[in-house]
Amino acid sequence: MNQPQQHNRKIFGNIPYVAALVCFAALICGLLTVNYISQRSLQRANIQRVQQNLKERALTISYFFSERQKDVRELASSKVVTGFFANRALGMSMTYGLQASLNNIARLFERRVDISRLGTKALYSRLILLDSNGQALSGWPALDLPEYQSIPEEIDLKGAEVIVDSDAGGSVFFTYPVLINDKLEGYIRVWVNYRDLVDSLLGQPHGGLFITDHKRLVFQSQQDHLLLKSNILSELLRTDAKWPLELSSKAIFEPVVEPGQKDDTPYLLFFTNVPGYEIDLFLAEQSSVITKSHSFYLFMVILAILSMGGFLVVVAMLRANSKNLVLETSLVEAHKREKEVAEKKEELELIIEGTRLGTWSWNIPSGKVSFNERWTQMLGYELEEIDGTVDTWKALMHPDDLEMVMEKVQAHLLQGETSIYIAEHRLRHKSGKWIWIYATGKVLKRDSAGKPLLAIGIHLDVTARKEAQQELAKAKDEADTIIRNFLDTLIVVQRNLLIARVNPATCQLLGYEESELIGKPITMLFHDPYDLVKSVFSFYEESQKDVFNGRTELRNIELSYQTKDGSLLPMSVNISLLKDEAGLIVGVIAGAKDISHLKKAMDTVASQKEYIEHLFDVVPQGLITLTQSMEIIGSNRAFNETIRTWSALFNLTEQGFRSELLGKLQTSLKDKPQYVFTLSHNNISASFKYHATSVSTLAGIEYVVAISDITNERKDAAARKLLATVIEQTADAVVLTDIDGTIRYVNPATISHTGYSEDELIGTNPRIFQSGLTPVAVYKNLWRTILSGRIWSGQISNRKKNGSLIEENMTISPVRNEDGDLTHFVAIRRDITATVLLQRQLLQAQKLEAIGQLAAGIAHEINTPMQYVQNNVSFFERAFGDFSLLLTDYLQLQDAQGALLTEEARSHLKDIDVEFLMAEIPDSIAEIQEGIARVVKIISAMKVFSHPGSGEKIAIDLNRALESTIVVTTNEWKYVAEMVTDLDPDLPMVPCLSDQLNQVMLNLIVNSANAIEATGASCPDNPGRISISTRQDNDWVEIRVSDTGGGIPEALRNKVFEPFFTTKEVGKGTGQGLAISHDVVVIKHGGTIDFISDPGKGTTFIIRLPLNPVNNEVIL
Amino acid sequence: MKSKFAALLFFVFASACMIGHAAARDLADIKKAGVLRHLGVPYANFVTGDGQGLDVEVMQLFAKEIGVKYLYVKTSWKDVIPDLTGKQVESDGDNVKITGEAPIRGDVIANGLTILPWRQKVLDFSAPTFPTQVWLVAGPQSSIKPIVPSGSIDGDIAAMKRSLAGKKILGKNKTCLDPKLYFLEDANAVTSLFEGDLNELAPAVISGVADATLLDVPDALVALDKWPDQIKILGPISRQQEMAVAFSKDMPELRQAFAVFLKKIWQDGTYTAMVTKYYPDVFGYYPDFFTLK
């Protein structure tokens, strides 16, 4: 009995141990299960965290890209850039101005780089302005500027969007077109380096980060990452791989284990798309980093050991003291919690690190604050530069924010009114700029009195978001302002076609209050059919795609408003899409302009169009409108008529002639807005003048060209030109005056005839030519004649500019205009000075010849009676001698014998004074004889002098001719001068025209006598002297005629041989003597005539005649 | 406050005394007076009118160099030479006529003054400080088209003049933009003398006052920067010219001191830095001018 009882007692005594063992085993199993579940949960949480983190990074990149798009749009629309293309379109050259425009663009780029930074690095690695062909025009940096860049194949000019692409150099670039008047002129392209982007925005990922663009790997954070060698990535990058849709469904991949790798830790591959772009992010993380799980077997061994240990402990506890067991359990629990806290802390640190948060921990009683490194970096400081006190934080805060922040701090920290402290405020960056901070915090510890002891929190740099918000708010304000102040109606319509906003102009025009329209269907505002209005305002919908060809905006849609009172208003409506930040269409904005006036105007225009077209046709000048490619868009009747006429004359088709004409136009139109050109064919020429006006503002029309057929005008002009040439080149002077006598035109002959310049003559009166020698009556007759419209002809003595006389034969004709009114007079003046001289010479010669003949006749008539007078006087002389002897003898006898004579005879003798007669009569007879001798001499000289020439040179005794001339001219000189001759007795006979040479000698002697007389110094007691000498000089004979007159002034010496020049008083000289002498000696004898003059002392004329004259000399 | 007011009164009085002095001062007088009076007409970026400008900085540095204070004396194109020389002058082509007396108000002219033959007869110029050339500038609506550069400056000038027949061209009397200097009337251009400031010439043609205006290169570059799509450069009307700082002919010592100073700032890069600040584009047009001489 005892043994079974002892056995039972033993068995029952072990039951608690067994129960405890079973319970403990159950507990261990429970713990294992809980542990496994928590491990899995932690893994999932980590994976979700990493995935979430990656998505946030993708969002960051998306936002970053949108900012860059904004930048590139701003650059493309900046005035500096558009100005360059505008200047280029104006024709400016690089040399003169365009280069400066490009430099301005380079500086614009540089400024953009300066203000766009990622931390301390430049945000952009390159900015370039390209022309429409991809040629780089300007850029930053200026060095290594690529010459050409690829350009987008197609650009939607209406709704151009920024093109985002990546290159092989690890950069993403943004391209946006530069549009001027909806015309593509070039592109702005900017580059951002992925490495800079990742370093600055995403931080250093734990694992490998990969970026793909359109399935092209464009960036990897680690060049030799194991993933690059795996099949997974190559599988993903296959061009036919259907992702990201497929990929997104299995964002978490099974671990990839690379065979043979030292660290065979598997990887998890995370994936996300950058919203709005064909860019994807891949993050390869080691699974151990994510899961932090231990080997299951290790875990099981540890668990078994723990279980055994636990079992022993339980047994010991049961055996010893249950209190110890409870304590032990508490310690384990404490360890577990501590471990969880540590893990949680690690997780938190990971999150903080991943999200790049600044953290702070504030010991409130001491005022000390601990900041993490990120916090100090956020403000541009190193950790050690920041004094960890709450005053430091306050000092860095923007003064405007301090009060608000401190109120919130007080509300949470000190008074506990809020569960968490949240505020947004600004802190001053080391560089001085302000950055926006999103701050959260919480009190962790309070004392028993509720007084806070420790608070912690985070600071997040939200500057970019705040600036974006501010810009958005500003843009919204601007948009609101624009909408409010928009003069035309403006309506915002939601996608459900309900009105979301209207501006005051809409309400005023339609007569509604704003509240009456908001939320109402848009169709209610229009009179047009419901379906039409609906389709217009939902034109972007897929269902309308066929109708509106997928357009992104509608312009100039004509609809009619129906106002509240039912009246209709025709409107021109422009409708643009409204998109939200994600780029999704949320509705449209419609601007409408009242075109009722325009409609009326259009009606008027239409009615006027016909009128203008009619005018176009009736214009006598040819008119055409041309496209840029020189195609005729329109032509008027005159032009067509011209084409018909000349194509027939040229024997061409109308099309052929038109092409030829347009070809000519094309070559000259660009440079010459007006020009004259000629077409020739088969010796027929047609001249045209065109005037082109550029009208590029009219669609399709580049030029309006007026073409005139000026063939006839050109012929007329040619004829006029010929006439003008004749007038210009004629030897006669032509002077054109107006009817007041003011000179308006002179031809070159006038200038050469008169010595005046054109400037001196134009605008003056022809009186400038008057010499004073033409009788006034002549001028009176002249004016009377031409003013009555008749032609006057006559001879006038005028004077040149140098004072010399000019004889002119003048014909003055009146000029009448088309109405027959006198407008001008034209004078044709022929210089007849030489002719007049010849005429006068001829007249003089004829006069001299007549005088010579008369003198010869008189001499002959006188000579005969003088012969017998001389004979009779000689007889009387001889007879008186005889009679005197006889009378002397008789008287002597009377005296001797006396009384031979009667008383009466003696008385007669006494009366006649015989003695006196006897003494005087011989003297008287002698005087008679002398007188007769002189008469005979003069007659003889006259006969010699007046001997008519034969018209041929004959050798004469020049000395004898001179002596005869001296005798003939005795009366001219004998009262003022004595004549001294020094004639060479050996002078040979000189061949000459004796009569003309005698005249020369006579002129010189008379001039000498006049010169001496003019001095007034001569008198019988002190007469002047005329010296005449001859001598032979080799083959020449020289005659010198000198006088002691006043000499010839220096100023007049070059005029003495000019016709009609004289210094003698009026009526005494004709001014022809020396001119004729010059003509006779030089022209007719081939000799020379010159003079030496010493003013105040006298003049010597020197004539040299050749002894052997040339035979063919002209003899008149 | 009172002391500041008194100091201001004294300064005004002292300036008035200095300005009213009737004789040109050379270096010793300027050092004795302790102030260098810079005569400047607000023009382009040489003297901007708000206390800035290339020549303002150069003169401030020069005053510092010779150990005196700097004083800017604003003047006009009409008075700038009389204010320096004490002589009223009238130019006629390359000749100049003294027509009267004037008070001397400054010691040196520096505001982008172009070296012209007639000015050389009444002024002494420093070494050239800035290159220039006269261009024709028009608004976008002008019918005159920019020339196509031929590679020859004379050819370009001739081409430019050929397109001016009957066109109204603005210029400014007594300046380097005087139309007479370039014989525009021989090209049958209708010249008109502008009454406003030189800085207003570009806005004038933009608003259509004339078909084009004469403008020197520095001013044209400033205008291009200010109104990038509203003016067009048509082409040159002169060969390259040079600007310099001008002194009265009885100031040889001051001119010599400036010559030394200019050489120094040219060689140490100071001058190039100043030019870059105010005329960054000029190096592209006249690359040889700013090389070390």
Side-chain angles (χ1 to χ4, degrees):
Chain A
M1 253 327 261
N2 285 337
Q3 281 186 344
Q5 283 178 347
Q6 281 181 347
H7 179 72
N8 287 340
R9 240 190 338 261
K10 197 174 182 178
I11 290 173
F12 287 115
N14 288 333
I15 285 174
Y17 293 103
V18 172
L21 184 62
V22 170
C23 290
F24 185 76
L27 179 65
I28 293 300
C29 289
L31 283 175
L32 280 174
T33 306
V34 168
N35 180 275
Y36 175 77
I37 291 169
S38 63
Q39 285 283 345
R40 295 296 295 177
S41 174
L42 184 60
Q43 283 180 8
R44 279 198 296 274
N46 278 347
I47 287 167
Q48 283 173 358
R49 175 183 55 77
V50 175
Q51 181 68 24
Q52 183 61 32
N53 186 264
L54 191 62
K55 280 186 177 175
E56 286 174 1
R57 291 175 179 185
L59 282 172
T60 304
I61 292 176
S62 177
Y63 175 73
F64 177 81
F65 281 5
S66 68
E67 290 295 301
R68 303 293 72 78
Q69 291 194 30
K70 201 193 309 179
D71 280 358
V72 75
R73 278 194 174 98
E74 277 179 16
L75 289 172
S77 59
S78 71
K79 269 197 167 185
V80 177
V81 172
T82 57
F84 165 76
F85 290 108
N87 287 341
R88 193 170 74 168
L90 290 171
M92 277 170 57
S93 60
M94 285 291 178
T95 311
Y96 302 113
L98 267 190
Q99 187 57 51
S101 294
L102 285 182
N103 292 345
N104 288 341
I105 291 170
R107 283 200 298 281
L108 172 73
F109 288 165
E110 195 174 351
R111 284 197 296 273
R112 176 63 63 169
V113 169
D114 284 345
I115 62 172
S116 305
R117 307 199 78 79
L118 278 171
T120 56
K121 281 188 174 180
L123 190 154
Y124 294 110
S125 58
R126 183 175 286 287
L127 300 92
I128 291 186
L129 171 68
L130 305 168
D131 71 6
S132 57
N133 298 319
Q135 185 179 7
L137 299 170
S138 182
W140 180 94
L143 293 176
D144 301 327
L145 196 65
E147 194 174 351
Y148 278 95
Q149 284 280 309
S150 62
I151 55 171
E153 292 178 358
E154 273 189 29
I155 285 285
D156 179 1
L157 298 183
K158 291 292 180 188
E161 293 189 347
V162 178
I163 297 169
V164 183
D165 204 350
S166 302
D167 63 16
S171 294
V172 56
F173 59 90
F174 303 79
T175 309
Y176 191 69
V178 180
L179 304 175
I180 310 285
N181 297 327
D182 291 336
K183 186 182 170 193
L184 177 68
E185 295 287 356
Y187 301 92
I188 293 287
R189 179 168 290 171
V190 302
W191 280 260
V192 176
N193 195 303
Y194 275 118
R195 169 62 66 185
D196 297 338
L197 186 153
V198 169
D199 288 349
S200 302
L201 289 183
L202 309 183
Q204 287 296 331
H206 280 101
L209 180 68
F210 303 88
I211 301 177
T212 63
D213 184 357
H214 292 81
K215 296 186 183 176
R216 284 182 293 119
L217 183 63
V218 293
F219 173 78
Q220 62 268 12
S221 61
Q222 297 171 15
Q223 293 297 327
D224 54 351
H225 197 278
L226 289 172
L227 186 69
L228 295 171
K229 302 171 186 170
S230 74
N231 295 328
I232 290 179
L233 190 61
S234 57
E235 190 67 23
L236 286 170
L237 299 180
R238 264 178 43 208
T239 53
D240 58 345
K242 293 182 178 177
W243 62 277
L245 286 178
E246 284 184 6
L247 193 61
S248 62
S249 62
K250 40 183 176 180
I252 304 172
F253 278 74
E254 290 301 316
V256 180
V257 183
E258 282 292 309
Q261 67 183 70
K262 286 180 183 175
D263 180 7
D264 58 355
T265 309
Y267 281 86
L268 289 181
L269 187 60
F270 295 87
F271 152 81
T272 191
N273 168 257
V274 175
Y277 302 92
E278 294 290 320
I279 292 174
D280 301 292
L281 303 184
F282 294 88
L283 182 66
E285 285 279 15
Q286 283 185 316
S287 61
S288 59
V289 174
I290 304 299
T291 61
K292 289 186 171 52
S293 61
H294 302 288
S295 164
F296 179 74
Y297 299 105
L298 180 62
F299 178 76
M300 287 303 292
V301 169
I302 291 171
L303 190 61
I305 293 169
L306 283 175
S307 300
M308 286 300 294
F311 176 74
L312 291 174
V313 167
V314 168
V315 170
M317 187 179 65
L318 286 173
R319 282 183 176 178
N321 191 333
S322 62
K323 286 184 182 177
N324 288 342
L325 181 62
V326 171
L327 182 60
E328 192 71 18
T329 305
S330 297
L331 283 172
V332 170
E333 187 67 21
H335 270 295
K336 184 182 170 188
R337 283 191 177 181
E338 193 175 322
K339 188 180 175 187
E340 284 178 358
V341 167
E343 287 177 349
K344 203 70 184 172
K345 187 182 177 190
E346 189 180 356
E347 182 183 349
L348 188 61
E349 284 175 352
L350 194 63
I351 291 169
I352 288 170
E353 179 61 27
T355 51
R356 304 180 63 74
L357 294 173
T359 64
W360 51 267
S361 173
W362 179 15
N363 187 317
I364 297 167
S366 68
K368 293 285 184 185
V369 181
S370 298
F371 301 107
N372 71 347
E373 192 171 3
R374 167 61 191 157
W375 191 91
T376 57
Q377 286 173 351
M378 203 161 60
L379 296 179
Y381 293 96
E382 298 298 326
L383 191 57
E384 55 273 15
E385 289 183 273
I386 291 293
D387 181 19
T389 67
V390 71
D391 291 336
T392 303
W393 171 63
K394 286 182 182 177
L396 291 171
M397 193 172 300
H398 196 289
D400 294 347
D401 300 339
L402 186 59
E403 187 179 350
M404 175 272 294
V405 170
M406 293 316 295
E407 280 179 6
K408 291 193 173 184
V409 168
Q410 291 294 332
H412 174 69
L413 301 187
L414 304 181
Q415 297 163 13
E417 291 175 3
T418 54
S419 60
I420 190 166
Y421 152 71
I422 298 175
E424 282 189 356
H425 59 80
R426 285 163 284 182
L427 291 178
R428 189 173 61 246
H429 191 271
K430 188 179 182 182
S431 64
K433 68 182 181 182
W434 294 99
I435 62 170
W436 277 97
I437 297 295
Y438 175 80
T440 61
K442 188 175 175 64
V443 173
L444 281 187
K445 288 182 184 173
R446 293 182 187 271
D447 62 10
S448 56
K451 199 172 176 182
L453 299 175
L454 178 67
I456 63 167
I458 59 168
H459 278 171
L460 178 63
D461 182 354
V462 292
T463 307
R465 175 172 63 78
K466 286 294 281 187
E467 286 177 352
Q469 283 175 346
Q470 285 171 349
E471 283 191 17
L472 192 63
K474 188 181 168 191
K476 191 169 181 300
D477 287 346
E478 287 174 355
D480 281 346
T481 305
I482 291 169
I483 290 172
R484 275 197 309 280
N485 298 322
F486 202 67
L487 295 177
D488 298 326
T489 71
L490 207 61
I491 306 172
V492 177
V493 182
Q494 296 169 348
R495 199 156 183 167
N496 55 11
L497 299 185
L498 298 180
I499 298 169
R501 286 198 67 175
V502 290
N503 70 336
T506 310
C507 297
Q508 191 176 0
L509 184 69
L510 299 181
Y512 289 102
E513 294 295 326
E514 185 177 348
S515 57
E516 293 179 277
L517 296 176
I518 301 299
K520 300 293 190 305
I522 185 65
T523 49
M524 70 173 271
L525 294 183
F526 291 94
H527 174 69
D528 305 273
Y530 175 85
D531 289 341
L532 173 63
V533 177
K534 187 180 170 189
S535 72
V536 165
F537 280 87
S538 59
F539 71 94
Y540 49 86
E541 298 289 1
E542 196 65 26
S543 58
Q544 305 295 328
K545 198 172 181 180
D546 293 340
V547 181
F548 293 101
N549 297 323
R551 287 154 66 181
T552 55
E553 65 175 359
L554 297 182
R555 301 191 70 81
N556 302 322
I557 305 296
E558 290 193 12
L559 298 173
S560 292
Y561 273 145
Q562 185 159 27
T563 64
K564 193 174 181 180
D565 62 11
S567 55
L568 301 181
L569 295 171
M571 306 295 288
S572 174
V573 184
N574 292 339
I575 304 176
S576 302
L577 291 178
L578 271 181
K579 294 182 179 178
D580 63 9
E581 291 177 356
L584 298 175
I585 298 170
V586 294
V588 295
I589 182 164
K593 191 178 183 67
D594 182 357
I595 57 169
S596 53
H597 297 297
L598 185 64
K599 278 273 189 191
K600 286 181 185 172
M602 289 296 286
D603 291 342
T604 307
V605 167
S607 64
Q608 287 181 342
K609 188 181 173 207
E610 189 180 354
Y611 173 68
I612 290 169
E613 284 174 352
H614 177 68
L615 276 183
F616 193 66
D617 263 350
V618 298
V619 170
Q621 198 176 25
L623 292 173
I624 52 173
T625 51
L626 295 174
T627 65
Q628 195 170 19
S629 57
M630 301 303 289
E631 291 173 7
I632 295 177
I633 294 178
S635 60
N636 71 344
R637 188 175 297 172
F639 177 77
N640 297 335
E641 188 59 38
T642 302
I643 295 293
R644 266 194 298 279
T645 304
W646 283 104
S647 59
L649 290 170
F650 277 25
N651 198 21
L652 291 173
T653 62
E654 289 186 15
Q655 179 60 35
F657 181 75
R658 189 181 289 109
S659 300
E660 202 167 314
L661 189 141
L662 286 178
K664 275 281 186 184
L665 268 181
Q666 190 167 17
T667 54
S668 53
L669 199 57
K670 283 186 180 175
D671 300 328
K672 298 162 186 165
Q674 54 186 6
Y675 191 55
V676 173
F677 63 88
T678 301
L679 297 176
S680 298
H681 215 269
N682 296 334
N683 296 325
I684 301 174
S685 294
S687 297
F688 298 96
K689 179 181 181 181
Y690 75 81
H691 186 284
T693 305
S694 176
V695 286
S696 54
T697 51
L698 293 177
I701 299 177
E702 183 73 11
Y703 297 105
V704 173
V705 184
I707 299 180
S708 304
D709 180 355
I710 58 165
T711 308
N712 290 333
E713 289 176 28
R714 291 293 291 268
K715 286 178 182 172
D716 292 345
R720 283 197 298 274
K721 189 175 178 183
L722 179 63
L723 190 59
T725 305
V726 169
I727 291 173
E728 287 283 308
Q729 296 183 1
T730 184
D732 291 341
V734 178
V735 178
L736 182 73
T737 71
D738 58 21
I739 55 173
D740 296 328
T742 306
I743 297 173
R744 297 299 176 199
Y745 169 79
V746 292
N747 70 341
T750 307
I751 294 163
S752 63
H753 283 189
T754 64
Y756 288 101
S757 69
E758 186 176 0
D759 288 343
E760 288 172 317
L761 292 176
I762 299 298
T764 59
N765 191 284
R767 279 194 294 273
I768 195 172
F769 302 122
Q770 285 185 6
S771 65
L773 299 177
T774 305
V776 176
V778 174
Y779 290 113
K780 284 184 176 176
N781 174 259
L782 182 158
W783 279 106
R784 193 165 50 244
T785 305
I786 61 176
L787 284 173
S788 65
R790 290 176 288 129
I791 297 171
W792 181 88
S793 295
Q795 187 174 320
I796 287 181
S797 294
N798 278 332
R799 202 176 287 282
K800 295 184 181 181
K801 186 182 179 183
N802 62 9
S804 60
L805 288 171
I806 177 172
E807 286 294 325
E808 292 182 310
N809 194 348
M810 194 177 297
T811 301
I812 304 178
S813 306
V815 178
R816 296 176 186 274
N817 62 13
E818 293 173 352
D819 298 330
D821 299 328
L822 279 180
T823 58
H824 295 84
F825 298 113
V826 59
I828 300 172
R829 303 151 48 131
R830 176 162 295 173
D831 182 357
I832 57 167
T833 307
T835 307
V836 168
L837 178 62
L838 283 174
Q839 284 175 347
R840 292 188 183 180
Q841 283 181 16
L842 185 60
L843 192 63
Q844 186 73 4
Q846 287 170 346
K847 197 160 80 179
L848 285 174
E849 187 180 354
I851 291 171
Q853 288 173 354
L854 188 62
I858 292 171
H860 178 72
E861 290 301 319
I862 292 175
N863 203 36
T864 303
M866 284 305 292
Q867 288 291 332
Y868 60 78
V869 168
Q870 190 175 35
N871 291 338
N872 285 331
V873 169
S874 298
F875 168 70
F876 284 148
E877 188 178 20
R878 287 192 306 272
F880 182 75
D882 294 343
F883 182 74
S884 175
L885 289 172
L886 179 61
L887 186 59
T888 302
D889 292 345
Y890 180 77
L891 288 177
Q892 286 174 348
L893 186 60
Q894 173 67 26
D895 288 341
Q897 297 178 2
L900 290 177
L901 297 175
T902 63
E903 190 59 34
E904 187 179 4
R906 280 196 298 273
S907 174
H908 283 157
L909 282 173
K910 192 179 180 180
D911 288 343
I912 62 174
D913 194 359
V914 173
E915 289 178 357
F916 173 78
L917 291 176
M918 289 296 285
E920 291 298 323
I921 284 172
D923 289 343
S924 295
I925 291 171
E927 282 182 5
I928 291 168
Q929 285 285 28
E930 186 186 348
I932 290 169
R934 285 175 64 185
V935 169
V936 168
K937 188 180 178 183
I938 289 170
I939 289 169
S940 175
M942 281 185 66
K943 283 175 73 176
V944 171
F945 181 81
S946 61
H947 185 276
S950 62
E952 292 179 0
K953 287 176 187 166
I954 54 172
I956 63 167
D957 181 352
L958 200 58
N959 288 343
R960 183 165 173 258
L962 274 171
E963 287 168 343
S964 298
T965 306
I966 291 169
V967 171
V968 169
T969 58
T970 302
N971 196 50
E972 295 291 326
W973 53 263
K974 70 178 180 183
Y975 300 107
V976 295
E978 58 180 2
M979 181 66 70
V980 178
T981 58
D982 177 16
L983 305 179
D984 183 356
D986 299 324
L987 198 68
M989 299 289 275
V990 179
C992 63
L993 302 165
S994 60
D995 53 340
Q996 296 192 23
L997 200 60
N998 284 340
Q999 190 181 349
V1000 172
M1001 296 305 143
L1002 183 139
N1003 288 338
L1004 292 181
I1005 293 169
V1006 171
N1007 278 354
S1008 294
N1010 289 339
I1012 293 168
E1013 185 183 9
T1015 61
S1018 63
C1019 62
D1021 296 334
N1022 184 23
R1025 183 187 298 116
I1026 299 173
S1027 306
I1028 300 177
S1029 66
T1030 58
R1031 68 183 179 87
Q1032 182 181 359
D1033 181 11
N1034 295 324
D1035 292 337
W1036 295 80
V1037 170
E1038 185 179 279
I1039 307 163
R1040 287 179 176 247
V1041 179
S1042 305
D1043 64 62
T1044 56
I1048 301 171
E1050 183 73 33
L1052 302 179
R1053 288 182 187 178
N1054 59 346
K1055 296 182 179 177
V1056 296
F1057 293 118
E1058 289 182 2
F1060 314 114
F1061 174 77
T1062 179
T1063 58
K1064 298 173 185 172
E1065 61 191 81
V1066 176
K1068 196 158 188 178
T1070 63
Q1072 298 178 76
L1074 286 176
I1076 292 171
S1077 300
H1078 186 272
D1079 183 65
V1080 169
V1081 173
V1082 176
I1083 305 298
K1084 293 176 179 169
H1085 285 86
T1088 63
I1089 178 167
D1090 206 344
F1091 63 89
I1092 302 167
S1093 185
D1094 192 357
K1097 293 186 177 176
T1099 305
T1100 300
F1101 278 88
I1102 304 161
I1103 296 172
R1104 287 168 62 83
L1105 297 171
L1107 288 172
N1108 302 302
V1110 179
N1111 291 329
N1112 58 354
E1113 286 166 355
V1114 178
I1115 297 171
L1116 295 173
Chain B
M1 190 65 188
K2 276 186 178 177
S3 63
K4 280 185 181 175
F5 182 68
L8 181 65
L9 272 180
F10 174 76
F11 179 74
V12 170
F13 176 73
S15 301
C17 289
M18 286 186 287
I19 289 168
H21 201 272
R25 313 178 310 172
D26 207 348
L27 184 61
D29 303 318
I30 291 168
K31 284 187 173 176
K32 192 176 174 186
V35 62
L36 176 74
R37 300 169 302 173
H38 168 204
L39 286 165
V41 183
Y43 177 48
N45 284 349
F46 295 108
V47 176
T48 61
D50 59 354
Q52 301 290 316
L54 173 62
D55 282 339
V56 172
E57 286 198 18
V58 169
M59 283 299 120
Q60 285 174 337
L61 209 57
F62 178 52
K64 193 175 173 186
E65 178 78 10
I66 61 175
V68 297
K69 288 183 180 175
Y70 167 85
L71 177 67
Y72 171 64
V73 180
K74 184 179 176 183
T75 181
S76 64
W77 286 108
K78 177 173 152 287
D79 296 328
V80 65
I81 294 177
D83 283 350
L84 179 71
T85 62
K87 306 287 183 191
Q88 297 283 359
V89 295
E90 199 170 287
S91 64
D92 181 13
D94 288 346
N95 296 316
V96 66
K97 196 164 58 179
I98 307 292
T99 58
E101 301 289 322
I104 292 177
R105 300 175 65 232
D107 304 317
V108 59
I109 299 173
N111 53 225
L113 194 67
T114 303
I115 303 173
L116 297 174
W118 73 266
R119 283 177 176 160
Q120 286 177 307
K121 290 175 181 168
V122 289
L123 299 171
D124 274 349
F125 282 94
S126 70
T129 55
F130 207 85
T132 186
Q133 191 176 13
V134 178
W135 284 354
L136 267 176
V137 175
Q141 76 286 350
S142 172
S143 59
I144 311 176
K145 292 184 176 174
I147 63 153
V148 177
S150 63
S152 150
I153 183 62
D154 290 337
D156 291 352
I157 293 170
M160 192 67 264
K161 286 187 174 178
R162 279 198 296 275
S163 61
L164 300 185
K167 305 295 183 188
K168 184 178 178 184
I169 308 298
L170 280 185
K172 176 81 178 163
N173 199 14
K174 294 192 174 182
T175 71
C176 62
L177 305 184
D178 189 339
K180 281 184 190 167
L181 294 174
Y182 310 109
F183 309 105
L184 295 191
E185 290 180 352
D186 293 347
N188 295 322
V190 182
T191 58
S192 173
L193 294 177
F194 188 59
E195 294 296 329
D197 293 339
L198 287 184
N199 289 342
E200 295 166 354
L201 280 168
V205 288
I206 289 172
S207 61
V209 169
D211 291 309
T213 182
L214 297 172
L215 218 56
D216 64 22
V217 169
D219 210 11
L221 294 179
V222 172
L224 266 181
D225 196 24
K226 279 187 183 173
W227 302 286
D229 55 351
Q230 294 182 59
I231 65 166
K232 57 181 177 183
I233 309 293
L234 302 174
I237 211 70
S238 80
R239 292 183 172 182
Q240 183 178 331
Q241 301 173 328
E242 287 169 330
M243 295 171 164
V245 174
F247 304 87
S248 177
K249 282 192 176 288
D250 49 5
M251 292 179 158
E253 292 175 7
L254 184 65
R255 188 163 67 92
Q256 178 58 29
F258 183 78
V260 173
F261 164 74
L262 182 62
K263 189 173 182 183
K264 177 185 158 194
I265 61 171
W266 202 295
Q267 289 181 342
D268 67 14
T270 306
Y271 187 67
T272 306
M274 289 178 180
V275 174
T276 307
K277 179 177 173 185
Y278 290 100
Y279 292 104
D281 286 329
V282 76
F283 301 98
Y285 285 100
Y286 304 104
D288 298 334
F289 185 87
F290 293 98
T291 54
L292 281 179
K293 295 172 182 173

